[in-house]
Amino acid sequence: MKIGIIGSGMIGTTLAQRLAKAGHEVKIANSRGPETIELTTLSTGARAVHVSDVAADVEVLITSVPLSRVPDVAPLVRETPAETVIIDTSNYYPVRDGAISELDDGQVESLWVAERLGRPIAKAWNAITAQSFADKAAAAGAADRIAIPVAGDDDKAKKTAMALVEDTGFDAFDAGALADSWRQQPGTPAYCTDLTTTELPDALAAADADRSPRRRDLVFAALTERFGPEDEVSGDWLVRLNRAVY
Ligand SMILES: NC(=O)c1ccc[n+]([C@@H]2O[C@H](COP(=O)([O-])OP(=O)(O)OC[C@H]3O[C@@H](n4cnc5c(N)ncnc54)[C@H](OP(=O)(O)O)[C@@H]3O)[C@@H](O)[C@H]2O)c1
């Protein structure tokens, strides 16, 4: 497929590498220009482009920017033809994304994103840490392959997102409607805990809407207490912390 990726950070980079390796025609852009995109991001065939070109002539557009930047990329998304599938990877952390005063704890972040983008979206790749996403891909059928929940209301968008999740090396699990995607938000048992397809349904069902914002904030507080902004946090440490608190 022809795929555009907005955001060349930790998630966008792995997406570009894996999707290009799987045979897709991938363009990727950030806000600073194609020359600032790392060569390793392009090592499997993705092309760095200017952000104004990333959404042109693609079948799928993936937004992978901080939630507070979603309104900035919305005009690009809105200009794509209606048949372009839009997939978003966002998560909401009140501290990091504090600028979004209109998004409350009780709100479903992907509904907020869909409203801002003015399009149906599929939510995918949000519930895996950047480290596990980069390091723990496995072939289809491999024992203990990690599952990634995919939520959405539009059949075509969800099916496309699920096929692409499989192409990135993870089992795709249909997590239902966008309105239910709070079950895969930070603070829930399915969020960044590296579960398999067998384990994921119970984790999604066990999500507690009242407690998850507090659990999310506890994990964030533990991280900022334990690590400075320049410290590298091991992915396994993060998954263990998430499993303990969520
Ligand atoms: N990190 C994780 O473990 C993780 C896991 C799952 C999901 N997520 C979610 O996935 C999204 C991306 O996360 P990340 O960790 O990859 O973020 P990141 O490393 O901070 O990278 C963000 C990227 O977005 C780009 N960007 C920001 N504003 C832009 C704009 N207006 N136009 C074009 N590009 C823009 C940045 O480009 P410039 O640097 O050029 O501005 C950068 O390449 C976030 O919503 C995050 O919550 C993160």
Side-chain angles (χ1 to χ4, degrees), residues 41-119:
T41 306
L42 313 175
S43 58
T44 58
R47 209 155 43 90
V49 298
H50 192 273
V51 69
S52 58
D53 296 326
V54 73
D57 189 27
V58 293
E59 296 161 280
V60 178
L61 184 62
I62 304 175
T63 49
S64 190
V65 301
L67 200 68
S68 55
R69 300 272 77 85
V70 166
D72 301 343
V73 303
L76 274 176
V77 176
R78 285 172 185 263
E79 279 170 18
T80 60
E83 60 270 21
T84 307
V85 166
I86 311 296
I87 309 175
D88 181 70
T89 75
S90 305
N91 292 308
Y92 174 53
Y93 294 96
V95 180
R96 198 172 66 185
D97 294 316
I100 309 172
S101 54
E102 67 209 85
L103 186 67
D104 301 326
D105 271 347
Q107 280 187 280
V108 181
E109 60 210 5
S110 50
L111 290 178
W112 184 89
V113 171
E115 195 182 307
R116 288 299 163 291
L117 297 182
R119 293 287 293 276

Side-chain angles (χ1 to χ4, degrees), residues 5-13 28-33 36-37 51 54 63-74 76 88-93 96-97 124-133 186 191-192 238:
I5 301 172
I6 308 180
S8 64
M10 290 186 283
I11 298 297
T13 287
I28 182 165
N30 61 17
S31 74
R32 287 164 297 140
T36 67
I37 294 182
V51 69
V54 73
T63 49
S64 190
V65 301
L67 200 68
S68 55
R69 300 272 77 85
V70 166
D72 301 343
V73 303
L76 274 176
D88 181 70
T89 75
S90 305
N91 292 308
Y92 174 53
Y93 294 96
R96 198 172 66 185
D97 294 316
W125 295 291
N126 79 296
I128 184 156
T129 64
Q131 297 90 331
S132 292
F133 190 38
Y191 181 75
C192 292
L238 199 48

Side-chain angles (χ1 to χ4, degrees), residues 80-228:
T80 60
E83 60 270 21
T84 307
V85 166
I86 311 296
I87 309 175
D88 181 70
T89 75
S90 305
N91 292 308
Y92 174 53
Y93 294 96
V95 180
R96 198 172 66 185
D97 294 316
I100 309 172
S101 54
E102 67 209 85
L103 186 67
D104 301 326
D105 271 347
Q107 280 187 280
V108 181
E109 60 210 5
S110 50
L111 290 178
W112 184 89
V113 171
E115 195 182 307
R116 288 299 163 291
L117 297 182
R119 293 287 293 276
I121 62 163
K123 182 182 180 80
W125 295 291
N126 79 296
I128 184 156
T129 64
Q131 297 90 331
S132 292
F133 190 38
D135 299 338
K136 296 189 177 173
D144 297 335
R145 193 187 200 213
I146 294 171
I148 289 183
V150 179
D153 302 325
D154 180 271
D155 256 12
K156 178 185 163 194
K158 183 149 64 175
K159 278 188 186 134
T160 304
M162 290 182 70
L164 294 178
V165 163
E166 294 278 346
D167 285 348
T168 57
F170 297 86
D171 282 352
F173 184 84
D174 185 343
L178 213 54
D180 292 328
S181 68
W182 62 270
R183 294 182 180 278
Q184 65 192 70
Q185 284 184 185
T188 63
Y191 181 75
C192 292
T193 44
D194 285 2
L195 303 179
T196 63
T197 301
T198 313
E199 297 165 324
L200 196 51
D202 284 350
L204 289 164
D208 182 328
D210 291 334
R211 303 188 97 121
S212 60
R214 174 149 171 74
R215 291 176 180 174
R216 171 202 64 204
D217 294 349
L218 280 169
V219 162
F220 198 83
L223 277 171
T224 47
E225 167 58 33
R226 181 71 178 71
F227 299 101

